[in-house]
Amino acid sequence: MSVTVLIGAQWGDEGKGKVSCYLSQGARITARYSGGHNAGHTVIISGKKFKLHLIPSGVFYPETLAVLGNGMVIDPEALFEEIRALQESGYPCENIRISPFAHLIFPFHREIDVLMEKARGKNAIGTTRKGIGPAYADKAERTGIRVCDLLDKDRFNEKLRLNLEIKKERFSGLNGVLDIQLYTNFSERYVEKLIPYISDTSKIIQDAIRLDLPIICEGAQGMMLDLDFGTYPFVTSSAVTAGAVAVGLGIPPREVKKVIGIAKAYATRVGAGNFPTEEKDGVGVFLREHGNEYGTTTGRPRRCGWSDGLILKYGKKINGYSGLIITKLDVLTGLEEIKFCEAYQYKGGIFKEFPYDPAVFQEAVPVYRSFKGWDKEISHIRQRKDLPRACQEYLEFIEDYTETPIDLISVGEDRDQVIQS
Ligand code: GDP
Ligand code: IMO
Ligand code: MG
């Protein structure tokens, strides 16, 4: 079983970083295939906390390569800040490999992100303001600047000049950050530092596949933030789904052998966009405080609510989950009642599958199944049979409803607080 993909099954922040760090033990490669430093992946190893944004969590293991794939957008400032923090903690980062085809994020991308959000007014997406959308827009428009462009100063300068010229025409209010003089040192500043990390990452992964070595693909964001299948336009600007792995790493799709959906035992969302199972008070506040639901990247309070089964099923159809990983089960401890959405009600009709019409999703009223809660602390439990009966019933229902086995259960924030099921 060589290539395993971990997909966030909701709106991001499902605990992918923690799970990826746990499953990457013994892996040859852990690879990110999409997104940028909009992602915030928290890893806690023996009580020490790390926040990763660009670097996959295999970086903690010297025998594992941490690959930043071509499907990513990379802000060099953010990258070197992350590397610096890891090195200070004793992780040399010599195992990082970066694709020459990944696109670069420049300071002007961040400015454009902010400008666009302002222009959207009440329809703002609530982006992380990291420049992700504008950098992917450049990529699609074929004016993007790639990591490999740093290798040739003249090529880099010419591409940058053209990019800035186009931007100046379009964003007259941004002239302050579009002056090419500001970037004359950019390639010098980063090229020496980046060169040691640049590698033919697609070949590295293909070689590992040939040797049948374990490879973990660490998804970023979540299924419902996918550019095509998410709650457009309240989504990110990249493909999040399992299909993106082949494109974002340069490997044949048939090499992806296992796809795992990671979902919280409840649901959260950061930023704007509809969220039918959101609980604004009471339970919502309980989940936010017990689950410490504040954004890893932006610190924003996350919107919280009940788990939405339609989304889990929808994600299974698109990604082909062979298994689920349920995280943050411990956060539900202490609730008298737990709810799970198994259908939407809309204008007198019942929807049992995720609707393609945004109007339905916009006004959907969740139809809940109710479960008994439990009081007993579960963070120390390591075997599923030792979980409280009510907790087991909730998990069994999720398996039946999604027709998918739960492979792993996470009951605490530390890497090793897991139950193999
Ligand atoms: P990611 O973006 O999917 O990697 O998730 P984040 O790191 O942004 O957010 C998940 C948060 O939940 C982090 O603060 C994790 O430390 C924490 N976490 C992960 N799994 C568990 C768990 O099982 N229980 C608890 N209580 N916290 C968890
Ligand atoms: P991880 O990998 C949660 C959300 C933003 C916003 C929308 C678009 O930690 O799960 P963007 O900056 O990408 O243009 O913002 O997507 N978003 C995330 N929400 N977790 C993430 O990543 C996210 N990455 C982007 O809040 O609603
Ligand atoms: Mg996160």
Side-chain angles (χ1 to χ4, degrees):
M1 198 62 77
S2 139
V3 180
T4 299
V5 182
L6 306 176
I7 302 282
Q10 295 159 319
W11 279 281
D13 305 326
E14 296 88 351
K16 299 175 294 294
K18 172 201 158 141
V19 168
S20 170
C21 190
Y22 178 77
L23 295 177
S24 289
Q25 297 172 94
R28 175 61 189 140
I29 295 172
T30 309
R32 278 273 307 269
Y33 57 91
S34 69
H37 64 313
N38 48 350
H41 294 182
T42 316
V43 170
I44 300 179
I45 306 174
S46 307
K48 191 158 169 38
K49 189 184 239 181
F50 302 90
K51 291 180 179 183
L52 300 175
H53 299 283
L54 286 162
I55 302 172
S57 55
V59 72
F60 297 108
Y61 311 119
E63 70 285 4
T64 305
L65 295 177
V67 166
L68 280 69
N70 57 280
M72 292 185 72
V73 283
I74 299 175
D75 182 331
E77 283 180 50
L79 175 70
F80 287 112
E81 175 51 31
E82 208 169 312
I83 290 176
R84 191 196 54 74
L86 284 165
Q87 286 174 336
E88 265 180 27
S89 299
Y91 296 97
C93 292
E94 283 158 5
N95 53 346
I96 294 176
R97 301 287 183 274
I98 300 177
S99 167
F101 298 156
H103 280 246
L104 292 168
I105 295 185
F106 288 81
F108 60 80
H109 288 121
R110 293 197 295 264
E111 302 286 339
I112 293 170
D113 200 348
V114 172
L115 196 81
M116 300 270 292
E117 280 289 85
K118 277 200 189 124
R120 287 184 190 111
K122 65 176 178 38
N123 296 317
I125 295 166
T127 72
T128 57
R129 301 182 168 218
K130 302 288 183 193
I132 307 296
Y136 275 119
D138 277 6
K139 174 179 177 176
E141 205 170 41
R142 292 147 295 168
T143 52
I145 299 167
R146 301 189 293 176
V147 167
C148 59
D149 294 324
L150 287 167
L151 298 171
D152 180 329
K153 197 175 164 194
D154 290 339
R155 183 173 68 213
F156 174 83
N157 283 334
E158 181 48 26
K159 290 198 166 195
L160 184 59
R161 190 196 59 74
L162 178 67
N163 187 309
L164 292 173
E165 281 310 311
I166 295 171
K167 294 281 182 321
K168 273 183 201 161
E169 296 246 326
R170 219 173 274 168
F171 301 101
S172 54
L174 272 188
N175 277 336
V177 287
L178 298 178
D179 184 350
I180 195 157
Q181 298 305 325
L182 293 172
Y183 301 98
T184 45
N185 291 329
F186 194 93
S187 63
E188 281 95 337
R189 197 157 12 120
Y190 294 117
V191 77
E192 289 303 319
K193 286 167 86 181
L194 261 173
I195 280 177
Y197 298 111
I198 302 175
S199 285
D200 187 345
T201 49
S202 156
K203 181 176 173 343
I204 290 174
I205 301 176
Q206 286 161 16
D207 289 347
I209 290 173
R210 205 164 306 119
L211 295 171
D212 205 26
L213 298 172
I215 298 163
I216 301 288
C217 302
E218 180 176 320
Q221 288 76 54
M223 170 63 218
M224 300 311 292
L225 293 171
D226 179 76
L227 184 56
D228 284 272
F229 296 102
T231 49
Y232 191 92
F234 300 100
V235 293
T236 192
S237 294
S238 59
V240 171
T241 53
V245 169
V247 181
L249 292 176
I251 57 170
R254 67 160 184 267
E255 302 296 355
V256 174
K257 298 289 188 254
K258 199 169 173 187
V259 181
I260 299 174
I262 305 179
K264 282 178 188 170
Y266 49 97
T268 62
R269 177 164 200 173
V270 202
N274 202 38
F275 179 9
T277 59
E278 181 173 12
E279 291 282 318
K280 292 215 165 96
D281 314 303
V283 168
V285 173
F286 176 97
L287 294 171
R288 184 171 311 115
E289 297 317 316
H290 281 241
N292 191 22
E293 294 295 357
Y294 294 89
T296 309
T297 299
T298 58
R300 288 177 290 179
R302 295 177 182 144
R303 300 155 66 192
C304 298
W306 299 116
S307 187
D308 184 333
L310 280 76
I311 281 167
L312 300 184
K313 271 189 179 170
Y314 176 62
K316 177 174 178 168
K317 283 192 182 142
I318 286 165
N319 297 289
Y321 306 142
S322 57
L324 288 175
I325 293 178
I326 300 297
T327 61
K328 306 195 86 160
L329 189 61
D330 54 299
V331 175
L332 297 182
T333 301
L335 285 172
E336 262 175 39
E337 182 192 28
I338 290 161
K339 293 186 189 175
F340 182 95
C341 170
E342 51 181 355
Y344 295 153
Q345 206 171 34
Y346 173 74
K347 293 194 174 163
I350 292 286
F351 285 75
K352 293 196 168 171
E353 298 205 1
F354 186 76
Y356 59 78
D357 181 353
V360 179
F361 186 63
Q362 185 66 34
E363 288 170 39
V365 177
V367 178
Y368 286 117
R369 181 178 285 255
S370 174
F371 294 84
K372 249 174 68 185
W374 58 89
D375 274 336
K376 202 177 131 205
E377 253 309 313
I378 60 168
S379 289
H380 59 284
I381 292 177
R382 296 292 170 267
Q383 296 209 37
R384 187 163 165 174
K385 66 172 178 45
D386 296 333
L387 287 169
R389 189 62 226 146
C391 188
Q392 294 193 42
E393 278 167 16
Y394 181 54
L395 295 173
E396 280 157 18
F397 174 79
I398 295 175
E399 287 181 317
D400 286 347
Y401 176 88
T402 58
E403 299 175 351
T404 314
I406 294 173
D407 293 343
L408 197 76
I409 300 157
S410 175
V411 288
E413 52 183 19
D414 200 274
R415 178 193 61 187
D416 299 321
Q417 286 180 298
V418 292
I419 299 174
Q420 290 273 6
S421 108

